[in-house]
Amino acid sequence: MTLPTLLDIEASGFGRGSYPIEIGLARADGSSCAFLIQPLPEWTHWDPKAELLHGISRERLLREGHPVLEVARWLNDELAEVGVAYSDSWGYDNTWLSLLFHHAGMLPRFRLEALRRLLSERQLRVWKATKEALIRERGIQRHRAGEDARLLQLTFERTRILVEAEKGQPRPGA
C-alpha cells in the first residue's frame, strides 16, 4: 500500500483574521517539502503565541515567503494528479487553504480530506503514543509544515504496521 499524501499548514494564529504562512507536503514516496507564504497587505493578524510555536517571524515571511499565486500554482501542480491530500487538522487547514486559493484567484485541482478517514479504530488507539515516540526517535522539529506533514505520514505508516502485527498475534486466552 502506498503512503497517503499529507498536507500541513502553519498559520499566523487561530481564528478570525488568521492566514496561512507555511504549507508543507509529504508525498506518497516519502519525500517532503514546504514553502513559506508572503502575507498579502490585508493579512495583518499576527499572534505572538503562534510565532513562539512555529518560530517563523512575519519579517521572515516578507523576506523569504513566496507569493500566494505561486504557492497555489505549486499546490495544484503537486496535487492535481494525486487528487487528494490529507490533514490532521482539516477544519483549520481547509479554511486556510480556501483563503489561499481565493486570494490567488484559482480553484484547487485536488481535495483536502481529514486524515481520520484513513485510520482504523486500532490506529486511532495507538496514534498519540506512536507519534510521540517518532518525535523522540527522529528528533523532529514540530510546528514546521514540512516536518509535521512527514511526521503524520510516518505515524500513519507505523500505526498501520503495528495494527497489522497485532492482527497476527493470538489473543490472550484464545
Side-chain angles (χ1 to χ4, degrees), residues 3-4 6 26 88 115 118-120 122-138 140 142 147-164:
L3 293 172
L6 275 290
D88 71 330
L115 174 59
L118 297 179
L119 303 176
S120 69
R122 288 179 172 170
Q123 280 178 288
L124 285 169
R125 207 172 49 244
V126 297
W127 186 268
K128 184 177 179 185
T130 304
K131 185 175 169 185
E132 289 170 1
L134 282 163
I135 291 167
R136 283 190 308 274
E137 288 168 23
R138 294 179 174 247
I140 293 174
R142 294 297 322 282
E147 293 244 359
D148 280 356
R150 182 65 178 133
L151 173 61
L152 293 171
Q153 193 180 59
L154 290 167
T155 306
F156 173 84
E157 182 177 38
R158 186 172 289 179
T159 59
R160 185 175 64 193
I161 291 167
L162 288 170
V163 166
E164 289 301 315

